[in-house]
Amino acid sequence: MNDRRTVFKTLRDLSIRLTPQRILILDILRKGNTHMGVEEVYSKARTTFPYIDIATVYRTLNLMKKIDVVTEVAIGERLHFELTHPGRKHNHMVCTCCGKAFNLPPEYLERFGEQIHRDFSFEPDVRNFTIKGKCSLCAEKSEKSDSTYECLSP
Amino acid sequence: MNDRRTVFKTLRDLSIRLTPQRILILDILRKGNTHMGVEEVYSKARTTFPYIDIATVYRTLNLMKKIDVVTEVAIGERLHFELTHPGRKHNHMVCTCCGKAFNLPPEYLERFGEQIHRDFSFEPDVRNFTIKGKCSLCAEKSEKSDSTYECLSP
DNA sequence: GTACATGCAAACGGTTTGCATATCT
DNA sequence: AGATATGCAAACCGTTTGCATGTAC
């Protein structure tokens, strides 16, 4: 599992120091319970730790990514991260209209990836896989209200 | 089709000026016959038009994207573009090791997209869809030579 | 005590923009 | 002739880095 205890042990085992900043950032990701942008992590961190620097956030996230404690997720143009899911890896569907992201169960990609591997000898990395499109809510709204509904990317 | 003539007509119909720079950039994309990074387009353009500015390349590509003459492709971190494929849309598999990109026939994504739509009412945009992974050549090389083979992203 | 993490500020690199001039129609 | 595209240089913004100081171990 990805509870604090296990993560802390991982870090200690790798002689990676447990600083308040790192703990805070990991806790924010855990509580958020989804992928978050760097700016989002940063601003949340500042509410409890006003002097934290965004460089620290970047360094921490990159470090945690390297040791696979967090996973980088390709959402939008900027970096997003989430706590690495312990067992099966899920993927994301991002609405280009409202920006929300939805999780996609792993079976989908597994089957899909196997087929690709069979047909092209290409080994897809199922971790970094994001589908863009329009969520049901936005699709509905934009149908009804004839473009009075605003999209992020029109 | 996407031959010069048709594209030129599209531009004229939209009162978009046919400048040598724009023509050159479009021709480069057509000859290249795949997605290309901005820097790649720029350097190719300079061989026949040394004073062209990279800002012009960006402006042209963004303009052509807006009117759907070129399509932005999510490959790597930087922007990539290709001439919009007229009929069915294909997608890409990018090797995170050698950086090469391979085309994926549209049937794959169509079926996959339909299933997702059925199950989640999410309408995937099949145009912007890139699968990262390892190509057969790189997989083979990295097996054989035990990490003496260099990956872009190790 | 020592190696390493942090904050700060500055650099970096891809992309965009403001402006005067040149070009297309 | 008038609207708009270009080149040039500077701004922008997300991300990274160098360095002196502070901190976990």
Side-chain angles (χ1 to χ4, degrees), chain B residues 3-143:
Chain B
D3 55 302
R4 298 182 100 216
R5 216 157 301 192
T6 316
V7 171
F8 288 2
K9 185 173 181 325
T10 306
L11 300 189
R12 247 184 279 109
D13 289 351
L14 293 166
S15 311
I16 289 176
R17 291 192 186 162
L18 239 63
T19 67
Q21 291 91 330
R22 288 177 176 170
I23 294 173
L24 177 58
I25 289 168
L26 288 171
D27 280 347
I28 287 172
L29 280 183
R30 180 173 310 99
K31 275 189 215 145
N33 202 27
T34 13
H35 37 82
M36 299 172 69
V38 177
E39 202 62 40
E40 201 177 349
V41 176
Y42 176 51
S43 74
K44 286 201 169 138
R46 268 196 308 188
T47 67
T48 57
F49 208 120
Y51 292 118
I52 196 172
D53 194 89
I54 197 163
T56 304
V57 177
Y58 275 104
R59 281 190 277 232
T60 300
L61 291 173
N62 281 331
L63 174 63
M64 297 301 151
K65 174 185 159 195
K66 202 178 302 176
I67 62 174
D68 207 39
V69 165
V70 310
T71 298
E72 189 183 327
V73 180
I75 286 180
E77 0 251 78
R78 297 184 220 46
L79 301 177
H80 276 69
F81 299 88
E82 65 185 10
L83 278 193
T84 301
H85 232 72
R88 346 177 57 197
K89 330 225 177 252
H90 68 277
N91 299 87
H92 301 100
M93 302 178 287
V94 178
C95 179
T96 51
C97 191
C98 65
K100 259 197 222 116
F102 307 86
N103 290 342
L104 186 63
E107 309 85 72
Y108 269 79
L109 280 299
E110 279 164 14
R111 249 179 295 140
F112 185 64
E114 280 161 20
Q115 192 184 358
I116 286 188
H117 193 199
R118 237 182 292 125
D119 294 347
F120 302 102
S121 312
F122 186 94
E123 294 174 13
D125 173 11
V126 287
R127 265 193 299 189
N128 215 343
F129 201 85
T130 298
I131 297 162
K132 287 167 191 164
K134 205 181 248 190
C135 74
S136 53
L137 193 63
C138 286
E140 198 188 318
K141 282 191 185 167
S142 60
E143 259 179 44

Side-chain angles (χ1 to χ4, degrees), chain A residues 78-124:
Chain A
R78 298 186 220 46
L79 301 177
H80 277 67
F81 298 88
E82 64 184 14
L83 277 192
T84 300
H85 231 73
R88 347 178 57 197
K89 330 228 178 245
H90 68 278
N91 299 86
H92 300 99
M93 302 178 286
V94 178
C95 179
T96 50
C97 191
C98 65
K100 260 197 221 114
F102 308 85
N103 290 340
L104 186 63
E107 309 87 73
Y108 268 79
L109 281 299
E110 278 164 15
R111 250 180 295 140
F112 185 66
E114 280 161 19
Q115 192 185 358
I116 286 188
H117 193 199
R118 237 182 291 126
D119 294 348
F120 302 101
S121 312
F122 186 94
E123 294 174 13

Side-chain angles (χ1 to χ4, degrees), chain A residues 12-13 18 31 36-37 45 56 66 74 82 85 88-91 110 113 115 124 142 144 153:
Chain A
R12 246 182 279 110
D13 289 353
L18 239 63
K31 274 189 217 148
M36 298 172 71
T56 303
K66 203 178 302 174
E82 64 184 14
H85 231 73
R88 347 178 57 197
K89 330 228 178 245
H90 68 278
N91 299 86
E110 278 164 15
Q115 192 185 358
S142 59
K144 270 191 197 163
S153 56

Side-chain angles (χ1 to χ4, degrees), chain A residues 22-92:
Chain A
R22 289 176 177 170
I23 294 173
L24 177 58
I25 289 168
L26 289 171
D27 279 347
I28 287 173
L29 279 182
R30 180 173 310 100
K31 274 189 217 148
N33 201 28
T34 13
H35 36 81
M36 298 172 71
V38 177
E39 202 62 38
E40 201 178 346
V41 175
Y42 176 51
S43 73
K44 285 200 169 134
R46 266 196 310 186
T47 67
T48 57
F49 207 119
Y51 292 119
I52 197 172
D53 195 88
I54 198 163
T56 303
V57 177
Y58 275 104
R59 280 191 277 232
T60 301
L61 290 173
N62 281 331
L63 174 64
M64 297 301 150
K65 174 185 157 193
K66 203 178 302 174
I67 62 174
D68 206 40
V69 166
V70 309
T71 298
E72 188 183 329
V73 179
I75 287 181
E77 0 252 74
R78 298 186 220 46
L79 301 177
H80 277 67
F81 298 88
E82 64 184 14
L83 277 192
T84 300
H85 231 73
R88 347 178 57 197
K89 330 228 178 245
H90 68 278
N91 299 86
H92 300 99

